[in-house]
């Protein structure tokens, strides 16, 4: 059963995104983050050293098993075919990926579909198909070369004012001290890559987010 929007919004509270380019030990980092309070996980395997083919699928399956043992949704970035092949809990797509309507038709109503949006128009186009939208970069980010213009929480506020019930997650350079304001401005949760993946102490970094 596709989780209600409210239940899904709760699950977006601390959304960890990671792949092999973000940390030397993906499985260890993700397991620690899951132990310390991450509520949703996205496997985002992009960049020059990214895994592909069988190696990528094997890593995806290992991460999926980890997430299942912590009862945390396992989402795959971009790669809809891989998500279907391993029965992931959902996919996340950007504006340069397959159209949200097509992805929704492929994965069906019971899987999660997340869409990155950078404008109100993109949010309006996503609303009929997406279970949640990712809005950012809220702050400058090192995790995505082609991130759009930094827009703070302005668009989060605008999208929340227009779509009262739409689950929203903020992303981009987010640190623990930013979380209260981002939630105050209308996000249900925050997505984090390097503040956890690059932390010298992943457990402590995760707990600093999770206790907020
Ligand atoms: C580019 C992205 C933007 N937002 C998100 C999420 F946080 F999941 F919404 N994931 C991405 N990969
Ligand atoms: Mg993409």
């Amino acid at each position: 059963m596709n989780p209600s929007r409210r239940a899904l919004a709760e699950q977006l509270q601390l959304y960890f995104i990671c792949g092999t380019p973000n940390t030397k030990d993906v499985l260890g980092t993700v397991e620690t983050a899951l132990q310390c309070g991450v509520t949703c996980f996205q496997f985002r395997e992009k960049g020059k050293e990214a895994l592909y083919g069988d190696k990528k699928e094997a890593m995806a399956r290992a991460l999926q098993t980890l997430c299942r043992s912590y009862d945390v949704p396992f989402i795959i970035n971009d790669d809809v075919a891989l998500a279907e092949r391993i029965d992931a809990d959902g996919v996340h797509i950007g504006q340069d990926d397959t159209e949200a309507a097509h992805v929704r038709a492929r994965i069906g109503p019971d899987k999660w579909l997340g869409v990155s949006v950078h404008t109100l128009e993109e949010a309006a186009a996503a609303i009929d198909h997406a279970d949640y939208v990712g809005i950012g970069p809220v702050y400058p980010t090192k995790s995505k070369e082609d991130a759009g213009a930094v827009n703070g929480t302005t668009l989060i506020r605008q999208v929340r004012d227009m779509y009262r019930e739409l689950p929203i997650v903020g992303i981009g350079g987010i640190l623990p001290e930013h979380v209260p304001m981002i939630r105050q401005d209308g996000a249900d949760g925050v997505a984090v890559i390097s503040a956890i993946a690059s932390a010298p102490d992943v457990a402590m970094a995760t707990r600093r987010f999770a206790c907020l």
Side-chain angles (χ1 to χ4, degrees):
M1 172 56 187
N2 190 18
S4 73
R5 283 197 150 172
R6 181 52 28 217
L8 192 141
E10 300 286 309
Q11 205 81 51
L12 290 172
Q13 200 163 350
L14 180 53
Y15 192 163
F16 183 39
I17 301 177
C18 196
T20 58
N22 304 113
T23 174
K24 286 182 301 298
D25 172 17
V26 182
L27 288 168
T29 298
V30 173
E31 173 136 42
T32 303
L34 288 166
Q35 284 164 343
C36 295
V38 152
T39 56
C40 191
F41 175 72
Q42 180 187 130
F43 180 43
R44 179 174 177 269
E45 191 63 9
K46 292 186 89 163
K48 38 196 174 307
E49 300 100 60
L51 301 176
Y52 58 90
D54 293 349
K55 285 203 170 75
K56 179 180 178 183
E57 178 165 330
M59 177 59 81
R61 287 181 184 277
L63 290 164
Q64 179 181 38
T65 302
L66 264 184
C67 287
R68 279 189 175 147
S69 64
Y70 288 88
D71 198 20
V72 165
F74 174 71
I75 309 297
I76 292 182
N77 186 52
D78 287 356
D79 195 336
V80 179
L82 174 60
E84 283 182 306
R85 213 164 36 252
I86 71 171
D87 195 28
D89 295 306
V91 293
H92 185 92
I93 56 172
Q95 293 298 318
D96 57 348
D97 297 305
T98 319
E99 278 290 304
H102 298 160
V103 176
R104 175 58 78 193
R106 266 183 81 172
I107 65 175
D110 292 343
K111 295 293 183 184
W112 287 38
L113 175 58
V115 180
S116 305
V117 301
H118 308 88
T119 64
L120 275 175
E121 293 72 25
E122 289 177 358
I127 184 86
D128 291 340
H129 313 292
D131 291 302
Y132 72 85
V133 291
I135 299 181
V138 177
Y139 302 99
T141 173
K142 297 182 290 299
S143 302
K144 183 176 170 64
E145 282 96 51
D146 58 341
V150 171
N151 56 16
T153 55
T154 307
L155 185 60
I156 292 174
R157 181 75 271 158
Q158 290 169 335
V159 172
R160 175 56 70 227
D161 289 347
M162 189 156 285
Y163 305 108
R164 303 301 304 161
E165 297 305 310
L166 176 65
I168 296 172
V169 57
I171 188 169
I174 296 175
L175 301 175
E177 53 267 30
H178 299 143
V179 175
M181 188 263 291
I182 293 172
R183 295 176 66 85
Q184 174 87 35
D185 281 349
D188 297 289
V190 294
V192 175
I193 303 182
S194 47
I196 292 176
S198 312
D201 182 333
V202 169
M204 175 144 69
T206 306
R207 276 197 286 269
R208 284 181 62 211
F209 281 100
C211 64
L212 294 171

